[in-house]
Amino acid sequence: MKDIKIIVATHKTYPMPSAQMYLPLQVGSAISEALPYAHDDTGRNISEKNKTFCELTGLYWAWQNLGADYIGLCHYRRYFARRAFGKKEARILSDGEAQVLLLDHDVVLPKKRNYWIETNYSQYVHAHHREDLDTTRQILAEVCPEYLPAYDAVMGRTSGHRFNMFIMKKDILDAYCGWLFDILFRLEDRLDISGYDAVSRRVFGYVGERLLDVWVETNHIAYTELPVVNLENQHWLKKGGRFLLRKWRGMRQK
């Protein structure tokens, strides 16, 4: 049996899966009132950065402090789905299915999100700040230019793996996190986010989402995909309206 730990990043109390492989983890616990879960401010951690790194403070904690064979990340209301139907709670990936899946795969990613009328780059700059991605590219050009072809290709596509969700074999996770956090800490040193609103200040979590595919493609990492199940209803009409409004505003600003 493989030792699998999937942290469930949360900032509030919420019904959690009972399967043994799931580890509810309060992210940002260094700057929040304690919840009855594991905390990301123990051991080696960056918990105090949670307002700008989002769930990635939980990933950093897991990388530095867990010794499982496989480590994953999901969210308190968003999980990898199992191949079954029924109530939403019953569709969450189970221990047994994960064990079988990881017999043949070292990396599991969520099915790609498709923006259809936006590239990954344009979708980001219409919602956040162009400097975030442009500065990231500058850093890659300086410290690891071999990643630029994949970065440019990923930014030009209309789909990508999102949510900072995955399950990875520990040695692969070590390599990914070592690279990812080096880039993000360099970006943190260069960006002036003092004028960003509360949403845009989550910049390093957002950029991290978009760097996953860059790393996977450059390193020729084989993976399989699973659907994502959200335990709360999605307001797709509202989300679509906001998406189109951001695109219109972005085009007006050009």
Side-chain angles (χ1 to χ4, degrees), residues 127-216:
H128 306 293
H129 295 267
R130 184 183 304 272
E131 294 78 9
D132 306 346
L133 294 183
D134 291 350
T135 305
T136 299
R137 191 183 190 282
Q138 292 171 9
I139 292 170
L140 293 177
E142 294 169 14
V143 302
C144 49
E146 67 273 18
Y147 284 86
L148 284 179
Y151 184 83
D152 291 339
V154 167
M155 289 300 110
R157 293 181 194 143
T158 58
S159 63
H161 297 104
R162 288 293 176 265
F163 315 128
N164 285 315
M165 284 179 61
F166 44 75
I167 306 170
M168 292 184 183
K169 194 174 182 180
K170 185 59 164 61
D171 61 339
I172 297 176
L173 182 91
D174 288 343
Y176 173 58
C177 287
W179 175 83
L180 174 69
F181 286 104
D182 177 60
I183 299 301
L184 293 180
F185 291 155
R186 291 173 186 268
L187 182 62
E188 182 184 31
D189 287 340
R190 295 195 192 186
L191 278 184
D192 177 8
I193 65 171
S194 59
Y196 285 19
D197 61 26
V199 173
S200 291
R201 285 178 67 84
R202 302 173 188 169
V203 49
F204 308 111
Y206 295 143
V207 172
E209 278 187 287
R210 286 144 181 90
L211 286 177
L212 174 60
D213 284 336
V214 176
W215 185 83
V216 165

Side-chain angles (χ1 to χ4, degrees), residues 4 16 47-49 55 69 76 84 89 122 128 152 162 180 186 192 198 202 209 217 229 234 251-252:
I4 306 168
M16 294 290 175
S47 180
E48 75 284 351
K49 297 180 184 288
E55 64 276 351
D69 300 330
Y76 68 95
E89 291 81 357
S122 66
H128 306 293
D152 291 339
R162 288 293 176 265
L180 174 69
R186 291 173 186 268
D192 177 8
R202 302 173 188 169
E209 278 187 287
E217 293 188 18
V229 59
Q234 296 286 283
M251 293 175 65
R252 292 270 294 181

